[in-house]
Amino acid sequence: MKYDVCVIGGGASGLTSAIKAAERGLSVCVIDKRDVPGKKILSTGNGRCNISNVDQDVRHYHSEDQAALKEILSKVSFDEVIEFFEELGIKCRSREGYLYPLSNQAQSVEKALWLKAKELGVRFELGEEVISVKERDIFNIRTDKSNYQAENIIIATGTAAGYSDKEKAGESVLNSLNIHVKEFKPALTYIASDARICKYWAGVRAAGKLELLIDGERAGREYGELMLTENGISGIAAFQLSHLVSKNTNTGKKLTLKMDFVPDLSREDLKSFIKRMAKETKRGCEGLYGILYNKLADSLFIEFVKNEPSMAGRIAHRVRLTDLSEEQIDKLVYLLKHFTVKVSGTGDASSSQVLMGGVPLSDIDRRTMMLKKHIGIYLTGEVLDVNGDCGGYNLTWAWITGMIAGGSVGGRNDKNNRA
Ligand SMILES: Cc1cc2nc3c(=O)[nH]c(=O)nc-3n(C[C@H](O)[C@H](O)[C@H](O)COP(=O)(O)OP(=O)(O)OC[C@H]3O[C@@H](n4cnc5c(N)ncnc54)[C@H](O)[C@@H]3O)c2cc1C
């Protein structure tokens, strides 16, 4: 059978585009290599699916082509995204601006998309991997099991983020059509460091301020919960900075991460707290347990003693706060509020929520999501060179691009579809 539209990849953006195209009366087929469409949606938002965010400032999205990005985002408003979900039967609630389904279950989002597509007559070919696409008069789509034909294709294959390292997503599809792709790199993942402290602080969760420095210049700053691991620094604050690390790793630039582990106390307040502990107790690093997770206090105190030339040879656990001079207390305060580690890179694709890189927006018609130089080929979602912050932005990009592509895909001779 020949379809008007074949959607390659039935994830967040692919299902959205299929629904929108089918609503326009087009015959649509979705091919996905997994046995359930929208499988990645199930793991989003820790199983709750952070659908979107009320703060839709463009600074939450990153691309080499910010002008194109801005224009595409302006095509579908936040209200239209919410309306789309209302029509699917999904009501959202906001938690400090982060939108989740009222059911609090990602599965309800995945199911609603799938059911709606089926109600509209979309045909699903599941458990089939598209290997290549060839174009003669129409598109011939070859999977590992069968062949399909379509007037138009929507490539919505996403990326390997969150999957095993063997995941190839849509690479062979893109290659078979000679579509230019910028290298995919991890984003929204942990920031890696080889610093010796990592093996001591592993397992600690702490609130903190992070500052990423590239060649000594501040490139980004975040505040939030940090998860300290033996590989480096994880947690949302680190995730938000990881795309900057990815971009600058292996470029010869020096990347460092500065951490304030006591963001709620000013330097003066922290100093007077330590001085009081020194005066009133016989404690060493235990004197910091009231303001820092004890394992973190121990790790930082060990670093402090190791780095302090006047304490050479001393064992950290035998040093008491009362032994510290005024100058040494100043140094300890500085270390707790400006602890710096060298950054060695990021987590890999499997530990990322999203990958940066992909098909450049400059190759895409911003009105339709069709490739400028290739009539009938549309792209949506993460396969495009856009990555969003944590907080519902990557799914929002998937919904918006799916809505645009599904709303504009048409007969191949439709002049309106030409760039
Ligand atoms: C753990 C985790 C949590 C996340 N949480 C959130 C969140 O809460 N909020 C948020 O905004 N974003 C979140 N994201 C990111 C978000 O899930 C993705 O950005 C989004 O799903 C991308 O949509 P997509 O349609 O481009 O790709 P996907 O949803 O990944 O869909 C692509 C589909 O294509 C299929 N496919 C790939 N190649 C082929 C092929 N050759 N043949 C056939 N099928 C193929 C895949 O099987 C897949 O189903 C999270 C990601 C992860 C990994």
Side-chain angles (χ1 to χ4, degrees), residues 390-409:
C390 225
Y393 297 102
N394 290 293
L395 282 174
T396 305
W397 175 249
W399 316 133
I400 288 179
T401 51
M403 286 163 85
I404 298 173
S408 36
V409 63

Side-chain angles (χ1 to χ4, degrees), residues 302-322:
I302 292 170
E303 285 297 312
F304 166 68
V305 172
K306 277 194 174 142
N307 292 334
E308 177 52 35
S310 58
M311 290 191 183
R314 291 197 63 180
I315 296 167
H317 286 296
R318 301 230 175 103
V319 176
R320 291 179 307 166
L321 294 177
T322 187

Side-chain angles (χ1 to χ4, degrees), residues 8-14 31-34 36 38-41 43-46 49-51 128-131 156-159 161-163 167 169-170 172-173 352-354 380-383 391-396 398:
I8 306 175
S13 69
I31 307 176
D32 200 294
K33 62 180 173 182
R34 297 197 156 72
V36 179
K39 211 160 187 180
K40 197 181 269 186
I41 298 173
S43 47
T44 58
N46 285 325
C49 187
N50 181 192
I51 290 179
E128 283 193 43
E129 177 166 1
V130 178
I131 308 297
T157 43
T159 70
Y163 294 128
E167 174 77 18
S172 64
V173 177
S352 301
Q353 287 198 0
V354 66
T380 60
E382 210 179 303
V383 75
Y393 297 102
N394 290 293
L395 282 174
T396 305

Side-chain angles (χ1 to χ4, degrees), residues 209-370:
K209 255 189 207 158
L210 289 185
E211 207 173 306
L212 177 70
L213 305 175
I214 300 180
D215 282 342
E217 298 283 324
R218 186 204 292 158
R221 195 161 49 159
E222 288 292 334
Y223 172 76
E225 192 187 51
L226 311 177
M227 284 165 62
L228 305 171
T229 74
E230 58 183 348
N231 298 317
I233 299 97
S234 191
I236 291 181
F239 275 32
Q240 305 286 40
L241 295 174
S242 61
H243 69 105
L244 295 170
V245 174
S246 242
K247 201 168 161 184
N248 290 286
T249 301
N250 298 327
T251 57
K253 293 180 180 157
K254 193 174 158 216
L255 275 69
T256 42
L257 201 59
K258 211 153 86 175
M259 286 162 271
D260 179 350
F261 286 115
V262 207
D264 299 324
L265 294 185
S266 67
R267 280 175 76 159
E268 295 68 38
D269 288 346
L270 180 57
K271 185 172 174 184
S272 37
F273 173 81
I274 294 174
K275 282 177 92 168
R276 187 163 65 78
M277 285 290 127
K279 197 168 159 212
E280 294 174 8
T281 75
K282 292 193 166 69
R283 297 176 206 171
C285 56
E286 303 94 327
L288 304 175
Y289 285 4
I291 52 168
L292 284 170
Y293 197 93
N294 57 14
K295 195 172 176 187
L296 182 60
D298 293 347
S299 314
L300 291 168
F301 202 71
I302 292 170
E303 285 297 312
F304 166 68
V305 172
K306 277 194 174 142
N307 292 334
E308 177 52 35
S310 58
M311 290 191 183
R314 291 197 63 180
I315 296 167
H317 286 296
R318 301 230 175 103
V319 176
R320 291 179 307 166
L321 294 177
T322 187
D323 301 336
L324 305 183
S325 66
E326 183 85 13
E327 191 194 341
Q328 286 168 333
I329 290 180
D330 280 335
K331 285 186 182 172
L332 177 58
V333 167
Y334 189 85
L335 178 131
L336 298 178
K337 289 191 76 66
H338 300 85
F339 189 71
T340 303
V341 292
K342 227 169 111 184
V343 169
S344 58
T346 63
D348 61 9
S350 65
S351 58
S352 301
Q353 287 198 0
V354 66
L355 300 189
M356 59 196 289
V359 179
L361 292 188
S362 51
D363 292 349
I364 301 289
D365 176 353
R366 305 169 191 187
R367 295 164 304 166
T368 62
M369 304 314 294
M370 189 175 77

